[in-house]
C-alpha cells in the first residue's frame, strides 16, 4: 500500500513564502510523474506543477516565476517552494503521483491535501 502525506501548509501574508512537502511511503518500486494540484473553494481542482521521472518540470502560467517544484529521489519526497504568495493562491494543495508497486503496475495516488491561506 502506498501513501502520500503532505506537510508545510499554513497561513501566510501576501508576499510571503511557504514550502510544501509530500512524502511517499509504502511498497514503492518506481515513481513516474509527480505533481501538485490545488483547489480553491467553489473552483475545480487545477494543476499547479509537475515533474517527470527524468526531471522535466512544468509550472502553470499563474505560478511561473514564483513557485518551483522539485523532488528528492532518495527520500521519495516532492516539494513545492512557493514565493511571493498572493491571496488568489489560497487553496487546498494536493500531491499526486504515478507509482508502481512490486507488481510493476502504475496507479495514481493522491495525498489528503494541505491548506494554504494567503491573507493579511
Amino acid at each position: 500500500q502506498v501513501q502520500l502525506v503532505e506537510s508545510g501548509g499554513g497561513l501566510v501574508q501576501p508576499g510571503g513564502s511557504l514550502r510544501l512537502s509530500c512524502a511517499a511511503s509504502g511498497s514503492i518500486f518506481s515513481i513516474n510523474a509527480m505533481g501538485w494540484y490545488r483547489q480553491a473553494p467553489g473552483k475545480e481542482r487545477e494543476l499547479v506543477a509537475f515533474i517527470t521521472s527524468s526531471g522535466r518540470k512544468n509550472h502553470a502560467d499563474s505560478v511561473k516565476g514564483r513557485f518551483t517544484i522539485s523532488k528528492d529521489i532518495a527520500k521519495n519526497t516532492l516539494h513545492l517552494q512557493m514565493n511571493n504568495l498572493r491571496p488568489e493562491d489560497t487553496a487546498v494543495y494536493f500531491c499526486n503521483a504515478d507509482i508502481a508497486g512490486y507488481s510493476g503496475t502504475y496507479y495514481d495516488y493522491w495525498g489528503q491535501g494541505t491548506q494554504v491561506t494567503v491573507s493579511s
Side-chain angles (χ1 to χ4, degrees):
Q1 190 162 352
V2 173
Q3 281 190 320
L4 298 180
V5 179
E6 300 105 332
S7 61
L11 172 64
V12 64
Q13 292 186 343
S17 298
L18 284 174
R19 180 177 169 87
L20 304 184
S21 296
C22 170
S25 63
S27 301
I28 298 171
F29 176 72
S30 176
I31 299 178
N32 199 1
M34 301 183 78
W36 289 98
Y37 289 73
R38 67 186 181 186
Q39 187 167 19
K43 294 188 176 181
E44 293 188 353
R45 190 172 297 190
E46 63 175 357
L47 176 65
V48 176
F50 71 83
I51 183 167
T52 68
S53 57
S54 64
R56 181 174 64 87
K57 304 176 184 181
N58 187 281
H59 298 79
D61 287 343
S62 59
V63 306
K64 277 182 181 176
R66 301 187 298 122
F67 292 9
T68 302
I69 191 170
S70 64
K71 63 180 179 178
D72 183 332
I73 297 173
K75 297 181 179 179
N76 287 336
T77 301
L78 182 70
H79 300 288
L80 184 69
Q81 178 65 43
M82 305 187 294
N83 298 328
N84 192 20
L85 282 158
R86 304 167 179 170
E88 54 263 39
D89 295 318
T90 296
V92 178
Y93 284 70
F94 297 90
C95 174
N96 172 262
D98 195 27
I99 298 174
Y102 295 110
S103 68
T105 302
Y106 282 90
Y107 293 97
D108 195 43
Y109 292 92
W110 290 89
Q112 81 286 353
T114 185
Q115 176 70 47
V116 172
T117 302
V118 185
S119 176
S120 55

